[in-house]
Amino acid sequence: MPVKSTASTPTTPRKRRTRKTNTRTAKAVAKTDKVIKEIQAVLDAPKVKVTKVKPVSKIRTLKTVKRPSTARLISASRYWSDIKTRWGIHNYEITMLVSDLTKGLKYVRQFTK
């Protein structure tokens, strides 16, 4: 079994840290007391409430809104025919979109084979 050699052990005991003590000087105490008195004087002073005055803005009045005349409205049958026409235009545009996408796909596929 290995045994420690006696040469590696220190002969003096290890030093331990001592705690710092609270050593406040009279000058530091006087300075702290002065600051405390100044703060207390500010706290004891009468409080003044400061309010900001908002500038008076102009009052806007709303314009009166009148109901539109019913003479300019379209009839139900014209409204229904307008919806049918718009739906037909929509279908045509979608068909053309699909056609264009198909042509584009065919064009790109020739480069991938």
Side-chain angles (χ1 to χ4, degrees):
M1 230 171 152
V3 180
K4 271 187 166 179
S5 65
T6 57
S8 66
T9 58
T11 56
T12 58
R14 291 178 19 191
K15 293 185 179 179
R16 295 186 181 159
R17 251 181 48 191
T18 58
R19 298 200 182 272
K20 294 182 180 179
T21 58
N22 191 2
T23 56
R24 290 180 64 190
T25 61
K27 191 175 186 181
V29 172
K31 188 174 181 180
T32 306
D33 290 341
K34 181 181 176 184
V35 171
I36 291 173
K37 286 179 184 177
E38 289 175 0
I39 293 172
Q40 191 62 41
V42 170
L43 293 175
D44 291 340
K47 296 179 181 177
V48 178
K49 187 175 181 182
V50 177
T51 58
K52 292 183 179 180
V53 178
K54 293 182 180 179
V56 178
S57 61
K58 294 180 181 179
I59 298 173
R60 295 182 182 178
T61 58
L62 295 176
K63 295 180 181 178
T64 57
V65 180
K66 294 181 183 177
R67 185 170 186 240
S69 172
T70 57
R72 295 185 49 113
L73 296 176
I74 61 173
S75 66
S77 61
R78 278 190 67 196
Y79 186 68
W80 186 248
S81 66
D82 183 53
I83 290 173
K84 287 181 182 178
T85 305
R86 291 175 188 266
W87 187 252
I89 293 170
H90 169 74
N91 285 340
Y92 172 77
E93 293 291 333
I94 294 296
T95 305
M96 295 308 292
L97 174 67
V98 171
S99 172
D100 290 342
L101 291 175
T102 306
K103 288 177 187 176
L105 182 63
K106 286 181 182 177
Y107 179 74
V108 171
R109 275 194 180 168
Q110 71 181 352
F111 297 110
T112 59
K113 288 183 180 181

